[in-house]
Amino acid sequence: MLSPVLEAERAEVIRIARKMVDDGLVVGTSGNVSLRSGELVAVTPSGVDYDVLTVADVPVVRLDGAVVDGERAPSSELPMHLTAYADHGADAVVHTHSLHATALSLLRDDVPAVHYQLAEMGGVVRVAEYATFGTDRLAANMSAALAGRGACVLRNHGTVAIGSTPAAAYNRARQLEWLCRLWLTAQQAGRPRLLDDEELDRCAAQFGHVARR
């Protein structure tokens, strides 16, 4: 009996989707995860509880969006995922509806440099302009905000993080939520002191040095 197309990749998509729920980055069936393998992408389906997902439920699509395997329709946010692969060379994409990141998006156009962890994402993380979910306009807005970065925030919506693996993308999404929570907490007490661009550059170089070890 032949194994399902991208069986291991689909299983990893399910694992990360369930972590999003466990860590409170999504509620219900919100958010989505995808993983690219060559010209194919495994992506969470639309409207299915993550705790009951099976490998067969996870659709596999081509980079043009055409479904090649799977019993369910792909996530409504498939345009964002495919745009991240086409425009930014991503290998994996994680989209959350994180509470604190979404709250920050109502107040700011970026995530300020409250912590050196931003350097790992390429610098100050941008907030993409709002557009209706599932639309090409949202995908375009996300792509603009993601340029040169490992993550972005979607206004009135959530976050998108990319990485070399779903685990790497997920770690960025989780760190981004923490950074947004940190800023929201600090600004309640006053005006947070921020790191400057030179320090972020030094931290980025240090992150690169650690990654090469």
Side-chain angles (χ1 to χ4, degrees):
M1 183 176 178
L2 294 176
S3 297
V5 177
L6 300 190
E7 181 176 16
E9 289 83 354
R10 291 157 98 170
E12 180 65 359
V13 163
I14 294 172
R15 187 183 75 83
I16 296 298
R18 289 174 178 165
K19 278 183 64 65
M20 290 198 304
V21 176
D22 292 343
D23 290 344
L25 299 189
V26 299
V27 176
T29 63
S30 65
N32 26 78
V33 179
S34 70
L35 172 57
R36 177 179 178 176
S37 179
E39 299 302 305
L40 299 178
V41 175
V43 60
T44 45
S46 178
V48 181
D49 286 337
Y50 296 139
D51 60 353
V52 300
L53 275 182
T54 67
V55 166
D57 290 323
V58 177
V60 175
V61 304
R62 294 198 304 254
L63 292 175
D64 63 5
V67 177
V68 299
D69 197 30
E71 299 178 357
R72 305 278 186 176
S75 166
S76 61
E77 298 292 10
L78 183 62
M80 278 204 307
H81 290 257
L82 298 181
T83 298
Y85 293 121
D87 292 357
H88 302 287
D91 295 305
V93 179
V94 171
H95 166 47
T96 79
H97 285 186
S98 305
L99 174 63
H100 296 94
T102 306
L104 178 141
S105 79
L106 312 181
L107 304 170
R108 293 188 58 93
D109 295 327
D110 60 23
V111 180
V114 290
H115 193 276
Y116 65 79
Q117 192 67 40
L118 273 167
E120 192 277 332
M121 300 183 201
V124 171
V125 171
R126 307 180 189 98
V127 175
E129 287 304 317
Y130 178 80
T132 304
F133 76 92
T135 62
D136 290 339
R137 172 54 60 187
L138 177 58
N141 291 353
M142 173 216 69
S143 187
L146 201 55
R149 298 292 185 268
C152 71
V153 180
L154 308 175
R155 196 179 308 281
N156 300 81
H157 190 151
T159 73
V160 172
I162 61 176
S164 57
T165 65
Y170 180 75
N171 185 59
R172 281 179 170 164
R174 189 170 58 175
Q175 289 282 358
L176 181 55
E177 171 66 354
W178 181 82
L179 288 163
C180 293
R181 183 178 182 182
L182 174 60
W183 181 81
L184 288 167
T185 301
Q187 63 84 33
Q188 290 177 10
R191 185 176 179 180
R193 297 180 181 180
L194 305 179
L195 302 176
D196 59 28
D197 290 343
E198 290 184 1
E199 178 58 17
L200 285 183
D201 288 343
R202 282 191 290 269
C203 292
Q206 183 68 3
F207 274 122
H209 173 68
V210 171
R212 289 191 296 270
R213 296 169 99 178

